[in-house]
């Protein structure tokens, strides 16, 4: 399981403390039993498993090589534009950028991954680069939490592996602990963050100036997340035990002690955000996902690594409450810490995918299987885990930054059960990464799992964790340079040696301040389920695990939305005509406009295509009509408010010509008129050509060039519908409007629907999509380089490949089952080709006085203030640098059916 080893009865060893465990951990017997019972369904051959192992290595090489070639020494690779992300030179992404400290983050985070993947020469070279190039004293404000788990953890993991390779020979013979020296320097730079009365660390610190100096530009924060304060103990304790300096472990323990004291005593749960000075809970929702996740993980792993039973007691206390209140199999839902029977939200975030793996470490296998199966079915539906998804498994937040937590739990469940089912789950992860995320310069995060559009982002944790877990999933023991069982994984999957539990024990025992202030007597009941019990987990039924999974799979497969439950037509009233309801209103319906006039409601068309509604009761035809007008306006406001919470359905512009081959997908906004791409199974595919004039606001002068192609136009000077009509008359089969606001990007500005012109737009039959400036520049630069650029306009990206992209057929209709196999929360199968109703913080806020009309739905176009003005355009050389050398690799990959 990569967390335990036999320590021959050494003090503090894990197995010696487990109630009912023998001298070696009970998992040994557990694995033997399950391997003998795992012949259910298809068993993956050793040859197939080795092919997947080699595929992991090839994918890692593709990502790591592109980082080193195009980004290093920058912190991260931007895989769409083939350059490094340097903080301050790119538009700010808010808190996401707090992980970037100008310390070659991806290289440091990836050190021990190189060793795990049996690349000792590359590891040795990477260590030399870190020692030569990385500086830790940059004048930059960073996240204490992210810097700890990624950089300090990366340095300590590299040090741990270097010692192991040096011990086993012949590698790293020159190494004298230089990474540990850097780790201690970084630890000292992080220590001032703990200078609070509570002991909870500040969330951010300046690497050069600390907190207090005027140059620090930080130190005024009052709040931090529970995971941010509670995920320090492994790295800080390891640093103390490696160096013999107790201050680091002391500060991390002090923070954990404070969090434990501030738990809600009735529910034994902790909130998500806490005031670092007063200890008051700022956010009182509690779950196992974002904001709390690794706090629970570190309590249990601190017990494993450090041998302090107090950590296990605290974890078991929390775990009991988690299973009582938060776990609603197969779901894990946030609750209020003071009212734990009351759900705090109706959606889950993808970070909770680590929890089945932690349950394996705990030994509670059944709920781990259930939750993992639920997550697996979500990935089958959406290809990846969306950042957040609802209890009926529709998209809530559509992004997926290539997070590794699902792969992590898949690995641990396979280690615990030996069930080849989890090898197949791992294979699906590889397939989806290659099919949807792979681009010529690495792997790009998914901006929207529904459309398959990309974000110019490849986080360091993708290299540090994803490939490590997947390689271990498919590798044999002989494929590893060392015994992985001798290490514990941190939350960033860095390796810390288990022998630290017996290191420098003398100072820990004599230094009273390093111990928790009080240690309550251990309750034996807290040790239930502390190690796997094969008799309880897998009774004499070889289909036990399959029987656990089947109900969850059945819920996902058989349930779908009931379209008949959508809004129905209003019932007629005693009037000569039924009252006009806001949900039925269409701005281009003459009868509806007459009804508005009788109700005293004026319709004003703004120059940018938006529609403004104003009511004057005195202008109504009668008092009854005035009442109807007031009700209509109130309904419209409510409808607008409701649509604030619903994300605009995005569209995709996929570049399918060489050298892209469908591997670059851009997020686009739809139009209120023209072909609805969500109802087109094939989309519209064609070569791109610039319209003349470029704004498309007058009769096109290059009709021969545009005929049968997709017209590229610039925003501005006229209505969107007018542009569409001009290029359609010229024979274009589609249109793309590129924002004229230089630097705007879908990363920082919300999408919007292009409005009509207040007239009937039934004559417009071609699709029209909108691209922000950054995304549009990619197509413009490609045109300059290759002259012929072919794109596919669709509701979501199609299969990648050199062959023509085949149109996907819509899924067959399904009907909701009458029996949901006893699971209360239903996972609804999407029967409408990805048209989900969802909420997303990126959706534009709608105002009742500033409405557009799409059929019966009001929408609004964002104002200029929503558009990013910091970005810069880049030449095609920077975008396509060295891409050609990757084309043959893609061809070979496809020939090998990777």
């Amino acid at each position: 399981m990569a967390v335990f080893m036999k320590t021959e009865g050494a003090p503090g060893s894990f197995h010696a403390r487990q109630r009912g465990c023998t001298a070696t951990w009970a998992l040994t017997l557990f694995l033997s039993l399950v391997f003998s019972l795992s012949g259910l369904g298809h068993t993956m051959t050793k040859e197939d498993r080795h092919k997947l192992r080699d595929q992991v290595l090839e994918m890692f090489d593709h990502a790591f090589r592109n980082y080193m070639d195009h980004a290093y020494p920058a912190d991260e690779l931007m895989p769409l534009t083939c350059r490094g992300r340097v903080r301050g030179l790119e538009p700010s992404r808010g808190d996401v950028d707090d992980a970037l400290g100008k310390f070659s983050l991806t290289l440091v985070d990836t050190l021990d991954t190189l060793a795990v993947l049996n690349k000792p020469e590359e590891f040795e070279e990477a260590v030399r680069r870190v020692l030569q190039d990385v500086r830790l004293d940059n004048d930059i404000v960073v996240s204490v939490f992210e810097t700890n788990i990624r950089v300090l953890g990366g340095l300590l993991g590299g040090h741990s592996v270097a010692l192991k390779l040096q011990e086993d020979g012949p590698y790293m013979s020159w190494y004298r602990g230089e990474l540990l020296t850097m780790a201690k320097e970084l630890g000292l730079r992080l220590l001032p963050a703990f200078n609070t009365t509570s002991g909870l660390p500040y969330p951010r610190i300046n690497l050069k100036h600390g907190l207090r100096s005027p140059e620090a530009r930080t130190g005024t924060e009052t709040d931090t997340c529970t995971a941010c304060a509670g995920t320090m103990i492994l790295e800080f304790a390891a640093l103390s035990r490696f160096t013999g300096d107790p201050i680091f472990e002391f500060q991390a323990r002090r923070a954990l002690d404070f969090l434990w004291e501030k738990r809600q005593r009735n529910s034994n749960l902790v909130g998500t955000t806490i005031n670092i000075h007063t200890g008051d809970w700022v956010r009182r929702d509690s779950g196992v996902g974002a904001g709390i996740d690794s706090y629970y993980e570190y309590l249990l792993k601190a017990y494993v690594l450090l041998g302090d039973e107090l950590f296990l007691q605290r974890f078991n206390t929390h775990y009991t409450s988690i299973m009582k209140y938060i776990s609603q199999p197969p779901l894990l839902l946030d609750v209020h810490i003071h009212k734990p029977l009351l759900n705090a939200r109706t959606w889950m975030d993808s970070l909770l995918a680590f929890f089945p793996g932690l349950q394996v470490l705990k030994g509670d296998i059944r709920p781990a299987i259930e939750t993992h199966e639920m997550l697996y079915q979500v990935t089958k539906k959406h290809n990846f885990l969306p950042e957040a998804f609802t209890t009926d498994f529709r998209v809530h937040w559509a992004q997926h930054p290539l997070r590794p937590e699902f792969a992590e739990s898949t690995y641990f469940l396979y280690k615990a059960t030996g069930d080849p089912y989890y090898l197949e789950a791992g294979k699906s992860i590889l397939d989806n990464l290659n099919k949807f995320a792979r681009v010529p310069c690495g792997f790009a995060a998914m901006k929207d799992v529904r459309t398959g559009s990309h974000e110019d982002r490849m986080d360091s944790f993708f290299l540090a964790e994803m490939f490590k877990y997947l390689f271990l999933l498919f590798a044999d023991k002989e494929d590893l340079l060392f015994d992985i069982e001798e290490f514990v994984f941190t939350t960033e999957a860095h390796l810390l040696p288990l022998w630290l539990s017996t290191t420098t024990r003398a100072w820990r025992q004599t230094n009273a301040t390093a111990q928790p202030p009080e240690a309550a007597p251990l309750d034996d009941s807290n040790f239930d389920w502390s190690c796997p019990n094969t008799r309880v987990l897998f009774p004499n039924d070889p289909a036990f695990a399959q029987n656990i999974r089947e109900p969850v799979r059945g819920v996902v497969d058989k349930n779908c939305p009931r379209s008949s439950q959508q809004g129905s037509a209003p019932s007629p009233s005693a009037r000569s005509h039924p009252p006009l309801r806001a949900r039925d209103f269409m701005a281009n319906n003459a009868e509806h406009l007459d009804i508005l006039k009788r109700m005293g409601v004026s319709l004003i068309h703004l120059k940018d295509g938006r529609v403004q509604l104003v009511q004057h009761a005195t202008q109504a035809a009668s008092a009854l009509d005035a009442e109807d007008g007031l009700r209509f306006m109130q309904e419209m406001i409510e409808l607008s408010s409701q649509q604030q919470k619903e994300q605009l359905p995005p569209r995709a512009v996929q570049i399918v010509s060489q050298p892209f081959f469908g591997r670059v997908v851009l997020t686009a906004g739809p139009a209120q008129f023209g072909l609805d791409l969500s109802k087109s199974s094939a989309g519209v595919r064609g070569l791109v050509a610039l319209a003349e004039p470029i704004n498309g606001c007058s009769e096109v002068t290059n009709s021969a060039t545009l005929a049968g192609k997709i017209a590229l136009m610039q925003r501005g000077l006229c209505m969107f519908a007018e542009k569409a009509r001009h290029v359609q008359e010229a024979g274009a089969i589609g249109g793309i409007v590129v924002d004229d606001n230089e630097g705007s990007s879908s990363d920082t500005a919300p999408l919007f629907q292009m409005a009509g012109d207040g007239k009937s737009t039934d004559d417009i039959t071609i699709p029209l999509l909108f691209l922000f400036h950054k995304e549009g520049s990619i197509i413009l630069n490609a045109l300059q380089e290759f002259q012929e650029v072919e794109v596919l306009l669709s509701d979501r990206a199609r299969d990648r490949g050199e062959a023509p992209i085949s149109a996907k057929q819509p899924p067959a209709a399904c009907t909701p089952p009458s029996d949901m196999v006893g699971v209360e929360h239903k996972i609804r199968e999407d029967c409408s080709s990805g048209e989900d109703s969802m909420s997303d913080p990126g959706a534009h806020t709608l105002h009742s006085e500033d409405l557009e009309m799409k059929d019966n739905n009001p929408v609004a176009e964002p104002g200029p203030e929503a558009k990013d003005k910091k970005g810069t355009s880049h030449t095609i050389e920077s975008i396509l640098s060295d891409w050609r050398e990757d084309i043959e690799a893609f061809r070979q990959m496809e020939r090998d059916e990777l």
Side-chain angles (χ1 to χ4, degrees):
M1 182 178 291
V3 286
F4 311 113
M5 64 173 291
K6 183 179 178 182
T7 55
E8 299 300 319
S13 62
F14 179 81
H15 63 265
R17 296 188 300 273
Q18 295 307 291
R19 188 169 179 255
C21 290
T22 58
T24 55
W25 193 41
L27 183 58
T28 304
L29 173 61
F30 177 56
L31 288 176
S32 300
L33 175 65
V34 176
F35 271 115
S36 68
L37 299 178
S38 60
L40 300 170
H42 296 287
T43 300
M44 186 176 291
T45 66
K46 187 173 183 179
E47 181 181 359
D48 290 339
R49 187 160 47 81
H50 286 177
K51 286 183 179 179
L52 294 172
R53 174 202 62 194
D54 295 341
Q55 183 179 349
V56 173
L57 293 174
E58 185 276 332
M59 293 167 66
F60 172 83
D61 289 341
H62 175 67
F64 185 68
R65 175 173 54 82
N66 275 287
Y67 166 73
M68 296 303 296
D69 290 348
H70 300 300
Y72 184 80
D75 283 315
E76 290 179 347
L77 170 68
M78 299 173 67
L80 296 183
T81 49
C82 299
R83 68 179 193 273
R85 182 179 293 279
V86 179
R87 193 168 171 186
L89 299 184
E90 301 294 334
S92 174
R93 300 175 298 170
D95 292 347
V96 175
D97 284 341
D98 287 344
L100 311 181
K102 297 183 179 179
F103 35 35
S104 302
L105 174 64
T106 297
L107 180 62
V108 175
D109 214 0
T110 310
L111 282 178
D112 54 7
T113 303
L114 291 164
V116 171
L117 270 58
N118 202 344
K119 296 177 178 291
E121 293 87 359
E122 291 90 336
F123 171 75
E124 197 159 0
E125 174 61 24
V127 172
R128 292 184 186 276
R129 280 182 177 268
V130 169
L131 299 180
Q132 174 183 318
D133 299 338
V134 174
R135 292 187 56 182
L136 303 171
D137 62 347
N138 301 308
D139 182 10
I140 194 166
V141 176
V142 296
S143 162
V144 173
F145 166 74
E146 297 288 357
T147 304
N148 173 64
I149 66 171
R150 299 202 208 187
V151 186
L152 182 58
L155 294 171
L156 292 173
H159 174 67
S160 302
V161 169
L163 293 181
K164 186 63 179 176
L165 295 181
Q166 191 178 63
E167 175 186 340
D168 298 343
Y171 302 103
M172 302 300 294
S173 58
W174 55 271
Y175 182 70
R176 296 295 181 270
E178 292 87 348
L179 290 177
L180 180 60
T181 301
M182 292 182 67
K184 184 171 183 180
E185 177 192 346
L186 181 59
L188 291 172
R189 293 186 181 281
L190 295 179
L191 270 183
F194 291 83
N195 188 20
T196 60
T197 56
S198 67
L200 300 178
Y202 281 91
R204 297 174 184 82
I205 196 167
N206 188 298
L207 290 175
K208 183 174 183 178
H209 300 292
L211 287 169
R212 301 305 181 190
S213 65
E215 300 86 358
R217 306 185 304 281
T218 188
T220 60
E221 297 94 344
T222 59
D223 305 333
T224 193
C225 72
T226 301
C228 300
T231 310
M232 308 292 292
I233 186 64
L234 292 188
E235 292 82 4
F236 268 44
L239 183 57
S240 282
R241 300 190 182 202
F242 272 129
T243 63
D245 187 344
I247 185 61
F248 305 105
E249 183 172 344
F250 168 75
Q251 293 289 6
R253 283 177 175 265
R254 183 168 171 247
L256 278 179
D257 292 341
F258 190 83
L259 288 174
W260 172 253
E261 290 300 317
K262 290 299 179 180
R263 75 191 187 283
Q264 211 290 322
R265 297 305 178 96
N266 291 324
S267 66
N268 280 318
L269 296 173
V270 292
T272 302
T273 307
I274 192 170
N275 186 295
I276 60 176
H277 303 296
T278 66
D280 295 332
W281 291 111
V282 178
R283 281 185 52 192
R284 301 186 178 190
D285 49 315
S286 183
V288 296
I292 302 180
D293 48 0
S294 49
Y295 163 69
Y296 294 131
E297 179 185 4
Y298 269 38
L299 281 178
L300 184 55
K301 289 184 176 179
Y303 166 59
V304 175
L305 181 67
L306 308 178
D308 191 332
E309 293 173 339
L310 189 62
F311 291 126
L312 178 63
Q313 183 183 32
R314 291 178 178 179
F315 172 80
N316 281 331
T317 300
H318 284 312
Y319 186 77
T320 299
S321 294
I322 290 171
M323 299 309 291
K324 182 178 181 180
Y325 301 118
I326 295 171
S327 177
Q328 301 177 34
L331 310 180
L332 293 163
L333 293 178
D334 281 22
V335 300
H336 296 278
I337 59 175
H338 293 87
K339 298 179 179 180
L341 297 177
L342 179 64
N343 288 340
R345 62 190 189 190
T346 58
W347 49 271
M348 296 166 282
D349 63 75
S350 62
L351 285 172
L352 61 77
F354 90 101
F355 198 68
L358 189 65
Q359 289 178 307
V360 170
L361 178 56
K362 166 68 176 171
D364 202 355
I365 304 295
R366 182 186 185 97
I369 293 173
E370 286 181 320
T371 299
H372 180 276
E373 181 62 23
M374 173 267 289
L375 296 169
Y376 188 21
Q377 297 305 320
V378 175
T379 66
K380 287 184 176 181
K381 179 175 179 177
H382 299 295
N383 300 320
F384 300 97
L385 282 180
E387 275 292 77
F389 46 93
T390 62
T391 53
D392 57 2
F393 284 71
R394 294 179 293 173
V395 173
H396 186 68
W397 295 339
Q399 304 93 332
H400 172 74
L402 307 182
R403 293 199 185 277
E405 284 77 15
F406 179 66
E408 174 185 0
S409 288
T410 301
Y411 164 65
F412 281 119
L413 269 167
Y414 178 67
K415 290 291 290 183
T417 66
D419 191 336
Y421 181 83
Y422 296 108
L423 296 177
E424 295 295 336
K427 180 180 183 299
S428 74
I429 298 173
L430 292 183
D431 291 343
N432 287 335
L433 286 173
N434 269 325
K435 186 175 181 181
F436 299 107
R438 185 163 183 152
V439 295
C441 280
F443 290 84
M446 307 306 297
K447 186 171 184 63
D448 194 306
V449 298
R450 297 159 301 167
T451 64
S453 58
H454 293 135
E455 188 175 355
D456 204 2
R457 170 182 180 183
M458 189 177 82
D459 290 85
S460 69
F461 54 68
F462 179 62
L463 284 166
E465 300 184 67
M466 181 70 82
F467 295 114
K468 191 177 294 176
Y469 288 125
L470 291 175
F471 180 79
L472 291 172
L473 177 64
F474 298 117
D476 294 326
K477 189 173 183 179
E478 308 83 66
D479 298 324
L480 305 178
L481 290 171
F482 46 80
D483 187 358
I484 203 73
E485 304 293 338
E486 297 180 9
F487 298 87
V488 62
F489 283 139
T490 69
T491 193
E492 192 76 3
H494 294 307
L495 304 182
L496 298 177
L498 286 166
W499 55 257
L500 288 175
S501 64
T502 58
T503 300
T504 58
R505 193 170 179 83
W507 69 257
R508 290 193 300 112
Q509 291 177 335
T510 58
N511 186 351
T513 60
Q515 297 294 330
E518 58 181 23
L522 288 175
D523 179 358
D524 281 348
S525 65
N526 276 318
F527 290 90
D528 292 344
W529 289 102
S530 289
C531 60
N533 182 319
T534 56
R535 182 182 63 80
V536 176
L537 293 177
F538 287 81
N540 298 323
D541 179 6
F544 183 77
Q546 186 177 9
N547 290 339
I548 296 174
R549 289 192 295 261
E550 196 59 39
V552 181
R553 185 182 304 123
V555 171
V556 177
D557 289 344
K558 298 175 183 177
N559 197 20
C560 67
R562 300 171 184 266
S563 58
S564 62
Q565 291 180 348
Q566 305 302 321
S568 57
S571 301
S573 66
R575 294 176 177 83
S576 59
H577 58 81
L580 179 62
R581 309 305 297 268
R583 64 171 179 258
D584 301 320
F585 174 69
M586 290 184 290
N588 56 2
N589 186 304
E591 182 181 354
H592 289 179
L593 295 179
D594 287 340
I595 297 175
L596 284 189
K597 186 175 181 180
R598 286 198 300 270
M599 294 190 301
V601 177
S602 301
L603 193 79
I604 303 173
H605 293 279
L606 304 179
K607 291 183 179 180
D608 58 4
R610 290 176 295 173
V611 176
Q612 187 176 32
L613 296 176
V614 180
Q615 192 210 18
H616 300 282
T618 56
Q619 297 178 5
S622 67
L624 189 58
D625 286 318
E627 290 180 11
D628 286 345
L630 179 60
R631 174 195 45 76
F632 175 83
M633 295 296 289
Q634 290 172 338
E635 286 184 357
M636 188 62 76
I637 293 174
E638 292 173 3
L639 186 61
S640 302
S641 176
Q642 175 186 348
Q643 291 197 337
Q644 282 186 24
K645 303 173 183 178
E646 296 182 359
Q647 183 183 358
L648 187 68
R651 299 291 181 255
V653 176
Q654 186 173 11
I655 309 178
V656 296
S657 54
Q658 65 174 350
F660 303 93
F661 297 124
R663 290 182 170 85
V664 172
V665 187
L666 308 174
T667 298
Q672 298 178 356
F673 48 82
L675 177 66
D676 186 351
L677 292 170
S678 68
K679 299 177 181 178
S680 171
S681 61
V684 173
R685 177 172 176 166
L687 294 173
V688 174
L690 291 174
E692 294 180 7
I694 189 65
N695 55 45
C697 291
S698 59
E699 184 178 349
V700 172
T701 60
N702 61 336
S703 298
T705 302
L706 286 189
K709 296 181 181 178
I710 295 174
L712 200 63
M713 297 166 282
Q714 188 178 56
R715 182 185 185 185
L717 299 183
C718 65
M719 308 294 291
F720 292 120
E722 189 175 348
K723 297 175 188 287
R725 288 190 178 96
H726 285 141
V727 296
Q728 178 176 288
E729 290 169 1
I733 60 175
I736 299 173
V737 178
V738 178
D739 194 7
D740 59 345
N741 182 16
E742 184 173 345
S744 66
S745 166
S746 62
D747 294 339
T748 54
L751 287 178
F752 62 90
Q753 286 179 306
M754 293 180 288
D757 52 7
K759 307 173 185 177
S760 173
T761 54
D762 294 342
D763 59 318
I764 302 177
T765 59
I766 64 172
L768 191 70
L769 296 184
F770 177 86
L771 289 177
F772 284 109
H773 188 271
K774 178 182 176 182
E775 287 80 3
S777 295
I778 294 177
I779 295 183
L780 287 168
N781 290 334
L783 271 175
Q784 294 175 11
E785 178 75 8
F786 300 106
Q787 283 76 53
E788 289 195 350
V789 175
E790 190 174 13
V791 300
L792 173 68
L793 312 183
S794 61
D795 66 326
R796 62 181 302 145
R798 307 308 192 209
D799 291 347
R800 276 72 164 162
E802 295 177 40
I805 298 178
S806 60
K808 292 184 178 178
Q809 297 301 318
C814 61
T815 55
S818 57
D819 181 11
M820 296 310 298
V821 205
V823 179
E824 179 179 354
H825 296 276
K826 310 298 189 294
I827 303 174
R828 294 182 179 172
E829 180 62 39
D830 180 7
C831 297
S832 56
S833 301
E835 287 185 297
D836 292 325
S837 173
M838 56 209 80
S839 173
D840 189 290
H844 176 64
T845 302
L846 201 80
H847 301 284
S848 60
E849 71 276 8
D850 195 27
L851 302 176
E852 292 176 358
M853 301 300 162
K854 178 187 178 184
D855 297 333
N856 59 341
N857 292 328
V859 295
E861 179 177 355
E865 71 281 353
K867 297 170 183 156
D868 174 42
K869 299 181 182 295
K870 296 181 180 179
T872 56
S873 60
H874 301 278
T875 65
I876 190 63
E877 287 77 10
S878 68
I879 295 177
L880 301 176
S881 173
D882 293 332
W883 279 19
R884 291 181 180 85
E885 65 179 338
D886 290 308
I887 301 304
E888 181 56 35
F890 285 125
R891 290 172 176 156
Q892 184 62 44
M893 180 188 72
E894 290 164 356
R895 284 196 293 268
D896 294 341
E897 296 183 346
L898 292 175

